[in-house]
Amino acid sequence: MAHEHEQEREFVLEIPEFAHLSYGVEEGVALVTLKRPGALNALSQDLLRELAEVVEVIAQDSEARVAIFTGEGKAFAAGADLKEIAALKDPFMAREYALLGQGVFAEIAALPIPTIAAIHGYALGGGLELALACDLRVASKDARLGLPEVGLGLIPGFGGTQRLPRLIGRGRALDLILTGRHVSAEEALGMGLVNRVGEDALEEAKKLAEKILKNGPVALALAKESVVRGEGLDLSEALEIEADLFGYAAATEDMKEGVRAFLEKRPPHFKGE
């Protein structure tokens, strides 16, 4: 006999089986690790598709408040898979290949929570473009970053020609893109390509995530949205967006708790409401 009122089912997040990456969440930090160490985590099409899947998981995972992307072994990601690039037969296949990478990285960039790339070893070509899709980048002292595609007779195709100039300026971006040279972590820090440099990129990224996690989750999402939506707009239009989102933030329970905690000289206890 059917119950008059069905009991509400608890949402259970389904995590796919991944062959080329791992995913886990601990204390609010979602960690995505590329796992093709034998190929220096080169971004094959299969790995790109798994990245798209894991982004969907992160977007649905209520426990994930900050996401860190890193690589297993000696490199963050040494670039796209050259065997797959060599197999591209015509401009149409190559265009679809570029659109696949661009689409995946656009999904990473569109995540509402803060994202951090923890870079060690090589972050070249598609690997650097993956890092550029994240909000923040932390590098270990051994990191080497660059877009070397012109040396292969190509151009960056996963967003590098567009995201890099927006991040570090046209002149500096063209320096890297047209020479194809690699830069050290320290030079990358000096040009604003990375935000922090430390002995261990993942540990530094986790420390950065801890600082972010102390703040209100709704405010974090709205702050990121304000920056992203305001890019490329006239200042007056961008300020309108900021005012709207400020108003939204001011109506949240988190804002009331944050102000109350400040006045009471205690740490806030945000609930994301």
Side-chain angles (χ1 to χ4, degrees):
M1 186 175 181
H3 291 287
E4 189 172 348
H5 299 287
E6 290 188 4
Q7 186 175 2
E8 187 175 330
R9 294 182 181 179
E10 184 179 350
F11 174 74
V12 177
L13 180 65
E14 292 186 10
I15 300 177
E17 291 286 333
F18 296 116
H20 304 297
L21 61 80
S22 64
Y23 174 77
V25 182
E26 186 175 347
E27 296 182 351
V29 179
L31 179 61
V32 177
T33 305
L34 309 184
K35 298 180 79 70
R36 295 190 72 206
L40 297 179
N41 298 316
L43 298 169
S44 65
Q45 294 184 58
D46 287 341
L47 177 50
L48 287 170
R49 292 187 182 97
E50 288 194 0
L51 277 169
E53 288 184 73
V54 83
V55 170
E56 289 185 18
V57 172
I58 294 170
Q60 297 176 59
D61 195 335
S62 60
E63 294 183 11
R65 291 184 52 205
V66 176
I68 296 175
F69 292 80
T70 193
E72 182 178 82
K74 297 180 179 180
F76 175 74
D81 192 311
L82 290 182
K83 292 180 180 178
E84 293 185 352
I85 291 176
L88 298 174
K89 296 179 180 179
D90 56 53
F92 303 102
M93 284 183 65
R95 183 177 187 275
E96 290 303 310
Y97 178 79
L99 289 174
L100 170 63
Q102 288 179 3
V104 174
F105 294 170
E107 290 174 17
I108 292 173
L111 280 168
I113 64 174
T115 54
I116 305 170
I119 303 166
H120 66 284
Y122 290 117
L124 303 175
L128 180 54
E129 289 169 306
L130 168 58
L132 290 170
C134 295
D135 300 317
L136 302 167
R137 283 149 297 282
V138 175
S140 60
K141 292 181 179 180
D142 71 338
R144 304 289 294 180
L145 303 88
L147 295 174
E149 285 88 347
V150 291
L152 301 173
L154 290 168
I155 69 169
F158 291 171
T161 65
Q162 303 307 309
R163 287 197 173 92
L164 188 60
R166 286 166 169 78
L167 180 65
I168 65 174
R170 179 181 176 184
R172 285 175 170 172
L174 283 172
D175 179 348
L176 296 186
I177 293 168
L178 298 182
T179 64
R181 70 187 181 94
H182 304 173
V183 297
S184 67
E186 289 298 332
E187 186 175 355
L189 180 65
M191 64 174 59
L193 179 51
V194 302
N195 301 90
R196 285 168 171 71
V197 173
E199 294 293 338
D200 186 305
L202 183 55
E203 288 305 311
E204 287 295 320
K206 288 180 178 179
K207 290 177 185 177
L208 179 56
E210 286 177 12
K211 292 182 179 180
I212 292 171
L213 286 169
K214 292 178 181 178
N215 302 303
V218 177
L220 291 173
L222 293 175
K224 177 174 176 175
E225 181 182 348
S226 185
V227 170
V228 172
R229 287 177 58 191
E231 286 177 334
L233 297 179
D234 291 335
L235 180 59
S236 60
E237 294 178 271
L239 290 174
E240 283 288 335
I241 291 171
E242 182 183 83
D244 289 342
L245 296 176
F246 179 87
Y248 187 91
T252 64
E253 292 299 317
D254 275 0
M255 188 281 288
K256 297 174 185 176
E257 166 60 14
V259 173
R260 187 163 53 241
F262 179 82
L263 295 174
E264 296 173 1
K265 298 181 179 180
R266 61 171 175 81
H269 302 290
F270 295 118
K271 297 180 179 180
E273 299 173 352

